[in-house]
């Protein structure tokens, strides 16, 4: 039994260090709500309610958009250039950009993202009303969408 005492002390020390490291580990960044809806008018391309899904990792954030806009022809993967502009509470905007989309069949709803952007802790981002809120380029054709509603259940708040 005398020989096991240093092993027990080492195990207890290792356990205590592991517990302390968990206490001081940074919390995972989170955005709330994780999903919101807003309505957009995209002119002759249509419009309607889009679902926006946000994620955050530190100051990097992404938003995926499932829109009500449909494409009349099939679209290959990662060929739609998109920019989503959100209004920042207190002034200014944050843009989420990318050329990411799944392959889309003709007459299907356009899905974009994840679109990437940079956020700061405490940013509260909502629909942008002072111009084009969502722009896409599909087969070289520009599509501009104006926000018609604020996001529900509310703006994205980043931690």
């Amino acid at each position: 039994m005398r020989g096991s005492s240093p092993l027990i002390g080492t195990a207890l020390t290792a356990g205590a260090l592991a517990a302390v490291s968990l206490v001081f580990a940074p919390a995972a960044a989170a955005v709330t709500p994780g999903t919101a809806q807003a309505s957009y008018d995209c002119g002759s391309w249509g419009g309607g309610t889009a679902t926006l899904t946000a994620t955050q990792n530190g100051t990097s954030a992404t938003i995926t958009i499932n829109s009500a806009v449909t494409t009349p022809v099939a679209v290959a993967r990662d060929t739609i250039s998109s920019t989503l502009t959100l209004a920042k509470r207190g002034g200014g905007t944050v843009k989420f950009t990318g050329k990411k989309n799944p392959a889309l069949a003709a007459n299907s709803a356009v899905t974009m993202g994840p679109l990437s952007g940079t956020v700061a802790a405490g940013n509260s981002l909502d629909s942008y009303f002072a111009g084009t809120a969502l722009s896409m380029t599909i087969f070289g054709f520009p599509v501009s969408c104006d926000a018609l509603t604020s996001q529900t259940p509310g703006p994205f708040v980043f931690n």
Side-chain angles (χ1 to χ4, degrees):
M1 282 294 186
R2 280 182 107 202
S4 65
S5 181
L7 291 176
I8 292 172
T10 302
L12 289 174
T13 300
L17 287 174
V20 168
S21 68
L22 287 175
V23 169
F24 290 107
V31 56
T32 53
T35 301
Q37 293 185 322
S39 292
Y40 294 89
D41 176 5
C42 302
S44 62
W45 286 79
T49 301
T51 300
L52 292 75
T53 303
T55 62
Q56 179 185 5
N57 185 5
T59 60
S60 297
T62 62
I63 295 180
T64 300
I65 305 166
N66 293 312
S67 74
V69 174
T70 59
T71 176
V73 296
V75 177
R77 178 183 171 147
D78 298 337
T79 57
I80 301 174
S81 295
S82 308
T83 300
L84 174 68
T85 303
L86 294 177
K88 186 166 50 170
R89 185 178 354 162
T93 60
V94 175
K95 293 185 183 290
F96 292 83
T97 61
K99 194 171 186 178
K100 294 293 224 177
N101 61 276
L104 301 168
N107 300 313
S108 64
V110 175
T111 297
M112 298 153 284
L115 306 178
S116 301
T118 302
V119 296
N123 277 166
S124 178
L125 306 179
D126 204 344
S127 296
Y128 177 69
F129 293 104
T132 300
L134 174 62
S135 62
M136 301 171 270
T137 302
I138 304 172
F139 295 126
F141 294 101
V143 179
S144 297
C145 305
D146 294 328
L148 299 176
T149 64
S150 294
Q151 293 168 204
T152 57
F156 291 126
V157 179
F158 295 86
N159 292 323

